Amino acid sequence: MADRSKAEVVRRLFGVNLEQQGRGFYVPLEMLAIARGVYLAHQEDPEKRAGLLDDGDRVAYKRTSHDLARRIATKASIAEGDEELGKAVELDSPETFETLHALFSSLLVEIPGRRSQPSWFGAHIYPFVGELIHYDAVDRQINQRGASPKKREQASKLSAKVKAPSIERYLFRDGGGWAYKVLRSDPDPDRKAATRQGLGDLVRDSGTPLGNLAKALSAHDFDYDEEPYEDDSERDIELYEDLSPWPGLLRKGARNIVARTTTPRAKRTESLMHWVPYCLARHQLHLACRKLGATDGESILLDFGNEATPLRSGSQKNLTDFRNDIANAINVQAQEMIDEAEGDEAKKGRYERFTKETGAAVASPRAFFSETLAAVGALNATAGRRHFTMKPPMLEALVSAAVPQGTEMEFDQFCALLYKNYGLVTENKVAAASPLAHEIDPSVLDHNGKAFREKLAAIGLLTQYSDATSMVRGEPR
């Protein structure tokens, strides 16, 4: 009951259930799994099933578990026996399995802050090509009642009470559903069409040797969808576009990223993997600030220096304040729901624990924000003294999202754009507009701007010319 109450409060406030378990890269993994599944369902029955990003009351998609490849990657036991594995791969020597293990273990998504080797269902494959994209799954005891003939046949290979892969939402927590709904509800038809085409390039079959191998292995997964999965969860997701600019910013950035046809497919996927969860975390923060009565956009101090400065201290305080804002917003939302309950004492009691400033009740939604930003590289670390920054993959995603293909802009103009659109304070010329920078010496901010310029140049996104002009572009030359 308590968990359901927390979901009710969090959904009312943020429009989607944001929990620590579904943080970081699980958001785009879920979004891409939905997109890939929609593509597969439409390919099988284009007359009956909606296409990628098409409108409709319900999203239907085919879920691929890739449980066999993930079990190979983590050397988990093959519950149905080596004979089944042998049907997928010629096990002519021990080296064959070790080669497959080395390949797929190198493709696993890194989850920062993880302290131990995950089980196979905690390991997800990086979606570099469409055939590698997969949904969530977990080990369950198989109930043969109501199962299809194929799944009853699979279950018959298991010993009594042995667990086996089952497709379900386990680590995914609807963040990817929020992102897919944002993209498919885009009111700009031209932008939506461009996003559809670019996203389709990422989720369709690549036909590469890696893709063919992944497809061959997935044909021997223990669990899979024989018919498209009818997903009702999107109906419970509210975008709150009237309260937050971030759904629109996600759409603009995603279009710029996926439509960048001169950029390799893997790089476009990597940028999307960073941009989508970043937007959801910022959306969460914006809604929390609005709930507390803040009407101005939140400003973030990005620290690109290599030493402790007043800017770093300000950025650390920035993060602490934002985490507190999220907790306090949950308290306020819970109190509002108590007031709405009127004479329903049972309902009031369920929400009461969420009106306190601290405690486990708000810890998970608050951790979603900071751990998501840490995972994608928008914080310097996953633990300890943390401040806002941009590590190279996140910075590449930001620039790719902000600068359309085939265009470039002068460095100062780019910094002004980052502050105007995203509230990011990077250097002295834009800092005057942010109240956060008033107590920081201009020379410190000027030094930070130079460090930012150097970081962009180091990853190939900025060119400095002899006339002291610096130009930023969306992809390396």
Side-chain angles (χ1 to χ4, degrees):
M1 183 65 71
D3 287 342
R4 190 179 306 128
S5 300
K6 181 168 71 171
E8 290 174 12
V9 174
V10 173
R11 282 185 183 276
R12 275 284 296 275
L13 178 56
F14 303 121
V16 60
N17 192 21
L18 301 179
E19 300 289 348
Q20 179 180 358
Q21 193 172 11
R23 68 196 182 277
F25 292 121
Y26 295 124
V27 175
L29 285 171
E30 182 181 13
M31 186 200 78
L32 288 171
I34 293 171
R36 167 73 175 177
V38 169
Y39 162 78
L40 291 175
H42 181 70
Q43 287 290 107
E44 284 190 4
D45 193 346
E47 296 296 324
K48 183 178 178 181
R49 301 298 179 183
L52 192 61
L53 302 185
D54 283 351
D55 297 327
D57 294 333
R58 177 186 291 179
V59 178
Y61 50 91
K62 295 201 73 172
R63 300 170 299 177
T64 301
S65 67
H66 262 320
D67 60 67
L68 183 56
R70 290 196 275 166
R71 286 182 286 168
I72 291 172
T74 56
K75 289 191 173 180
S77 63
I78 308 298
E80 58 271 39
D82 289 341
E83 288 186 9
E84 190 68 23
L85 178 59
K87 295 177 183 178
V89 182
E90 284 267 342
L91 294 177
D92 50 354
S93 69
E95 286 77 12
T96 302
F97 181 85
E98 290 300 324
T99 300
L100 287 172
H101 165 70
L103 172 62
F104 284 104
S105 63
S106 70
L107 295 174
L108 296 180
V109 178
E110 181 181 353
I111 305 298
R114 181 178 274 165
R115 294 185 177 88
S116 60
Q117 176 69 23
S119 54
W120 73 264
F121 49 83
H124 290 70
I125 299 171
Y126 212 98
F128 287 117
V129 294
E131 296 93 333
L132 287 173
I133 296 173
H134 61 86
Y135 199 76
D136 214 357
V138 69
D139 271 338
R140 297 289 187 202
Q141 287 190 6
I142 303 302
N143 181 3
Q144 296 193 35
R145 290 184 179 180
S148 67
K150 174 65 176 178
K151 291 188 178 180
R152 285 199 295 270
E153 180 186 349
Q154 289 283 76
S156 68
K157 301 171 186 175
L158 305 179
S159 302
K161 297 184 179 181
V162 171
K163 293 183 178 180
S166 172
I167 294 180
E168 60 185 78
R169 184 178 282 118
Y170 179 67
L171 289 169
F172 293 171
R173 280 293 182 272
D174 281 343
W178 174 87
Y180 188 78
K181 183 173 183 177
V182 167
L183 295 182
R184 86 182 191 104
S185 61
D186 193 343
D188 184 331
D190 293 336
R191 182 174 62 200
K192 183 176 178 178
T195 303
R196 177 188 290 111
Q197 180 175 344
L199 186 60
D201 288 341
L202 300 185
V203 303
R204 67 169 51 99
D205 288 354
S206 66
T208 60
L210 175 60
N212 292 336
L213 174 61
K215 199 169 184 178
L217 286 176
S218 70
H220 295 271
D221 285 340
F222 187 89
D223 199 11
Y224 52 87
D225 282 337
E226 295 177 277
E227 293 293 329
Y229 172 67
E230 302 279 352
D231 193 349
D232 290 322
S233 62
E234 191 184 90
R235 295 178 180 178
D236 298 326
I237 295 174
E238 296 289 345
L239 301 184
Y240 292 146
E241 294 190 72
D242 56 329
L243 301 177
S244 170
W246 283 96
L249 292 172
L250 170 60
R251 292 174 184 132
K252 292 177 184 177
R255 187 273 311 275
N256 285 343
I257 289 169
V258 301
R260 203 173 291 280
T261 54
T262 57
T263 300
R265 182 185 205 160
K267 179 59 68 177
R268 280 177 278 159
T269 299
E270 183 180 34
S271 291
L272 198 64
M273 286 279 288
H274 287 75
W275 180 245
V276 171
Y278 180 80
C279 288
L280 180 52
R282 292 294 306 275
H283 178 65
Q284 178 191 21
L285 174 62
H286 189 90
L287 291 173
C289 292
R290 284 292 299 262
K291 177 59 67 173
L292 297 176
T295 56
D296 297 330
E298 62 280 355
S299 296
I300 290 180
L301 292 169
L302 294 184
D303 178 15
F304 291 101
N306 296 318
E307 57 188 16
T309 65
L311 172 61
R312 177 161 300 179
S313 298
S315 186
Q316 290 168 344
K317 183 178 183 299
N318 217 186
L319 176 60
T320 300
D321 290 344
F322 288 156
R323 281 170 52 84
N324 289 338
D325 287 342
I326 289 172
N328 292 334
I330 293 173
N331 301 156
V332 171
Q333 181 64 59
Q335 186 58 57
E336 290 179 1
M337 293 171 72
I338 289 175
D339 295 340
E340 292 172 2
E342 297 179 349
D344 191 335
E345 296 303 320
K347 186 175 288 187
K348 287 183 178 181
R350 295 208 310 268
Y351 300 142
E352 182 67 33
R353 62 194 294 259
F354 304 105
T355 62
K356 300 174 183 178
E357 294 182 5
T358 58
V362 300
S364 182
R366 179 177 58 196
F368 174 88
F369 171 74
S370 51
E371 292 196 24
T372 291
L373 293 185
V376 300
L379 297 180
N380 65 306
T382 57
R385 293 286 288 170
R386 297 186 290 180
H387 59 266
F388 291 102
T389 188
M390 288 278 174
K391 294 181 180 179
M394 183 64 230
L395 188 53
E396 289 179 351
L398 175 67
V399 178
S400 183
V403 183
Q405 179 175 336
T407 65
E408 58 182 8
M409 63 181 66
E410 203 274 326
F411 175 74
D412 289 341
Q413 180 187 2
F414 178 67
C415 291
L417 176 71
L418 293 185
Y419 180 71
K420 178 183 177 183
N421 288 354
Y422 315 122
L424 301 175
V425 179
T426 54
E427 47 97 50
N428 189 43
K429 291 182 180 178
V430 300
S434 172
L436 292 175
H438 289 171
E439 297 181 4
I440 300 175
D441 191 282
S443 63
V444 174
L445 287 161
D446 187 57
H447 179 74
N448 192 64
K450 292 178 181 177
F452 180 40
R453 188 193 309 260
E454 290 170 0
K455 180 160 284 193
L456 286 170
I459 59 178
L461 298 178
L462 179 142
T463 301
Q464 303 187 58
Y465 296 97
S466 57
D467 62 353
T469 301
S470 299
M471 301 299 294
V472 179
R473 70 187 65 83
E475 64 276 319
R477 280 182 176 169

